[in-house]
Amino acid sequence: MAAHFDRRLRKAAVTTTVAAVAVAALSASQAPDVTADGNGRQTTADNMPTSDTPPEESATGNSPYYTDLPPLNSPNPSPTTGTPSSRGSSEAGIPATVLDAYKKAESELRRAKPGCNLPWQLLAAIGKVESGQARGGRVDANGTTIGRIIGPQLDGNGFALIKDTDNGVYDGNSSYDNAVGPMQFIPSTWAWAGRDGNGDGKEDPNNVYDAALAAGHYLCRFDWDLSDQADLNRAILSYNNSQDYLNTVLSWLEHYRKGTHEIPDGTGSLPVGRSDDTAAGADPSPGGTGASTGSQPPGATPGPSQSPSKPPSSGQPTDPGGPSTSPSTPPKDPTPPTETPTPTDTVHHLENAGTTGLTAIAGDTFAEKISARAETKAGKAVGKVRIRFTVLGDTDAAFTGGDKVAAVTTNASGVAVAPALVAGEQTGGFTVRATVIGRTVPGLDYKATVTERVADALTSTGETELTCTPGGEFADPVQVKATLKGAVADKVVVTATLIKSEDDPTENDKGPYFKDADGTAVRTLTGLKTDAKGLLELPKLFADDAEGTYVLRLTTPGGGRLDTTLKVAKAAEPTPDPSTEPSTAPEA
């Protein structure tokens, strides 16, 4: 009772003044005349919906949610990827695969709906409240939950009334709908909100990658800007229509924004308090959102060993005629079974699977893909392990599609091949780090380099001789085209220098010149770039008073070079017209 009261007291502190709600919590947990619905769930004013979203259009159908609040101490910031195991409580930590799914969804939404400003911490907060981060990260290598997470049937008895919409495909219930998966979508909402977040060609509400991406799109569906508090509140309330739900999610959101840490899959703590708790305590089911996790569909009559109010204790006979535990004696915790290590548990280190030189010209795709092999301590390959590839450093390079992070499952040979890496326009070196999702072993770094774009030839596109009078300006501009092996070379840097002669590339100190932004004469221009068709038109050229023939040299990385002749001379004297000249012949 003390723990139950403490949980409600902490919850109330988020929504209203501590003193007032402490009294309300005490009354709710101890008073004999507390108001309750037909199933014994308490009903209070602060649970009343405040959103206009009807249950059948919300993400969860307004199903029950976990009311546990964050630890009082702020979490430590996330350690560097690939370092030894994180030193933080499992309650504050987020399982590795689940965290990866949230961050991948944020990255996708940042590209697809940048105006929404969806933070991954919001997905984490909702995932914590809806399923305890997929029951502490009990997911396989592909991100699919081990056992289904299914909420109570929405039969109108203490919950919303939503009759079956999926013929029991997702929730195993052909009479009513139930919320399903780590983000607790009802089938009717999943039908239009579902997404394929891990690229396996399926939209599965039981997969944390699919569910996280679907939740992100759901929260961004009305062009809400989630950096605005009012829009953020509307989005959260549309997910589950309760003011208490809003406050609980916001408390976890703030907690995760202050920092969190990655923990191994399956080691997260399981929440205990649910919004449909009775005054006697929390839902006895320790594993999920109150519901069925195996083959038995929700709403079905429990078998002899599956009492809806009390699970059998360790060693307790399941025969209905056998002895039973006294109602006043709490059941003993069952002895945890010995678990077979997962493939991820056996990974000792990562090895380079053959990746050698990673160099690409700006804007090009790297010819070689990065590959890593997961191995045991004895050097045996480990399949069905998820490897995370992360682009690090000051670079605009990214994987195909624009993501900086990619998660890939190792094949039977233990090898995971990252998506193609695309160089950005920023030149220089950067690092791609491979790590094992769900296990803290040292990361494996791959060095990559982006070089500037090149052209091996420059040709003039103008046909007019470039001439000018002293002190004047050249009427025709210099126009060139850059190519590489005969193909258009776009966005190639071109340097233009007025040199003394073809044999002396020193910058000239007289003759034609360009002007800078201040109108000052300059005879070298750098940073010029060809357009998408490989074309470049130089700025206007001017001439001083020195007559003569001059050379403009254009060069590019890769060996492209073009010398153009410029002539500065006085205008030619007009040729006399004989017909207008006075006659010098003697008179007859």
Side-chain angles (χ1 to χ4, degrees):
M1 177 65 72
H4 180 65
F5 170 73
D6 178 64
R7 183 176 68 255
R8 291 186 177 275
L9 178 59
R10 289 176 58 224
K11 171 185 172 185
V14 179
T15 60
T16 184
T17 61
V18 174
V21 182
V23 175
L26 179 62
S27 301
S29 61
Q30 296 180 339
D33 58 349
V34 63
T35 303
D37 63 15
N39 288 335
R41 286 176 290 271
Q42 296 173 20
T43 57
T44 58
D46 60 1
N47 281 325
M48 294 300 292
T50 59
S51 168
D52 295 331
T53 305
E56 63 273 12
E57 295 180 11
S58 70
T60 69
N62 300 336
S63 293
Y65 54 90
Y66 286 114
T67 59
D68 297 35
L69 291 176
L72 296 178
N73 295 327
S74 298
N76 294 323
S78 175
T80 303
T81 304
T83 58
S85 59
S86 309
R87 296 176 176 84
S89 70
S90 61
E91 184 178 5
I94 301 177
T97 298
V98 181
L99 179 60
D100 184 61
Y102 296 149
K103 290 186 175 182
K104 184 175 176 63
E106 179 201 51
S107 177
E108 170 63 25
L109 266 297
R110 189 185 301 119
R111 183 173 62 255
K113 298 183 178 179
C116 182
N117 293 308
L118 172 80
W120 67 260
Q121 292 92 339
L122 175 59
L123 297 176
I126 291 176
K128 179 70 175 181
V129 170
E130 291 295 347
S131 68
Q133 310 297 21
R135 292 204 190 107
R138 294 187 68 247
V139 296
D140 63 18
N142 294 316
T144 302
T145 59
I146 301 172
R148 294 183 300 170
I149 304 174
I150 303 179
Q153 68 177 11
L154 302 175
D155 57 5
N157 188 14
F159 305 104
L161 174 60
I162 303 178
K163 293 187 177 181
D164 174 64
T165 61
D166 67 329
N167 199 28
V169 170
Y170 293 120
D171 54 17
N173 188 345
S174 58
S175 298
Y176 300 95
D177 270 353
N178 305 65
V180 179
M183 302 302 278
Q184 288 290 277
F185 276 97
I186 55 175
S188 57
T189 300
W190 183 260
W192 59 265
R195 295 291 192 281
D196 176 14
N198 62 353
D200 64 357
K202 297 183 293 184
E203 297 173 356
D204 182 4
N206 300 295
N207 182 279
V208 69
Y209 287 94
D210 294 0
L213 183 58
H217 278 281
Y218 180 89
L219 293 165
C220 294
R221 69 195 187 283
F222 288 138
D223 293 328
W224 282 323
D225 178 1
L226 301 186
S227 64
D228 177 81
Q229 189 63 47
D231 279 357
L232 176 64
N233 292 351
R234 293 186 189 99
I236 296 172
L237 285 170
S238 76
Y239 206 92
N240 195 317
N241 193 357
S242 162
Q243 189 66 37
D244 273 355
Y245 180 85
L246 170 65
N247 292 326
T248 305
V249 169
L250 289 176
S251 67
W252 280 105
L253 172 60
E254 179 63 20
H255 181 75
Y256 289 138
R257 276 176 167 165
K258 291 179 180 177
T260 186
H261 56 275
E262 179 182 293
I263 59 176
D265 290 343
T267 64
S269 63
L270 300 178
V272 294
R274 257 188 23 183
S275 59
D276 63 338
D277 286 354
T278 64
D283 172 46
S285 172
T289 339
S292 131
T293 62
S295 60
Q296 179 169 313
T301 303
S305 61
Q306 198 173 7
S307 168
S309 59
K310 179 174 63 181
S313 62
S314 176
Q316 179 180 340
T318 57
D319 184 273
S324 61
T325 304
S326 168
S328 61
T329 304
K332 298 179 181 179
D333 292 333
T335 302
T338 301
E339 296 186 1
T340 303
T342 66
T344 302
D345 296 332
T346 67
V347 177
H348 178 266
H349 61 272
L350 291 174
E351 288 286 343
N352 187 327
T355 304
T356 52
L358 288 172
T359 302
I361 296 173
D364 287 357
T365 299
F366 283 78
E368 186 176 6
K369 292 184 179 180
I370 298 173
S371 57
R373 183 172 58 254
E375 295 183 355
T376 64
K377 187 174 183 179
K380 184 179 179 181
V382 184
K384 297 183 179 180
V385 173
R386 286 186 71 78
I387 306 297
R388 179 191 295 124
F389 296 93
T390 306
V391 178
L392 305 174
D394 184 16
T395 180
D396 55 354
F399 295 111
T400 301
D403 289 332
K404 293 282 190 177
V405 179
V408 182
T409 303
T410 58
N411 58 22
S413 300
V415 176
V417 180
L421 188 62
V422 181
E425 294 303 319
Q426 187 172 339
T427 60
F430 63 95
T431 299
V432 177
R433 177 169 296 164
T435 54
V436 180
I437 297 176
R439 188 164 176 81
T440 51
V441 300
L444 181 61
D445 287 351
Y446 300 79
K447 301 299 182 182
T449 303
V450 178
T451 60
E452 58 188 345
R453 295 171 182 260
V454 298
D456 57 14
L458 285 170
T459 55
S460 175
T461 60
E463 299 179 356
T464 306
E465 184 181 42
L466 299 173
T467 61
C468 179
T469 58
E473 60 183 55
F474 288 82
D476 298 308
V478 177
Q479 297 174 319
V480 296
K481 181 177 182 179
T483 56
L484 178 63
K485 296 180 180 179
V488 167
D490 63 324
K491 299 181 181 178
V492 173
V493 175
V494 177
T495 299
T497 306
L498 289 150
I499 60 177
K500 291 185 176 181
S501 69
E502 292 185 359
D503 298 326
D504 184 358
T506 306
E507 180 183 284
N508 211 334
D509 55 1
K510 63 180 180 179
Y513 61 89
F514 300 103
K515 288 183 180 180
D516 63 13
D518 298 326
T520 304
V522 293
R523 290 186 168 86
T524 298
L525 294 179
T526 60
L528 303 171
K529 282 189 178 182
T530 61
D531 62 17
K533 296 180 180 180
L535 300 175
L536 171 66
E537 181 175 300
L538 270 63
K540 182 173 291 189
L541 275 163
F542 301 86
D544 60 15
D545 294 333
E547 297 184 58
T549 301
Y550 300 91
V551 178
L552 170 64
R553 175 165 290 176
L554 306 177
T555 58
T556 68
R561 190 178 105 172
L562 176 65
D563 288 345
T564 300
T565 300
L566 307 174
K567 291 183 179 181
V568 179
K570 293 180 180 179
E573 293 290 337
T575 302
D577 185 351
S579 64
T580 62
E581 289 291 319
S583 176
T584 59
E587 293 182 0

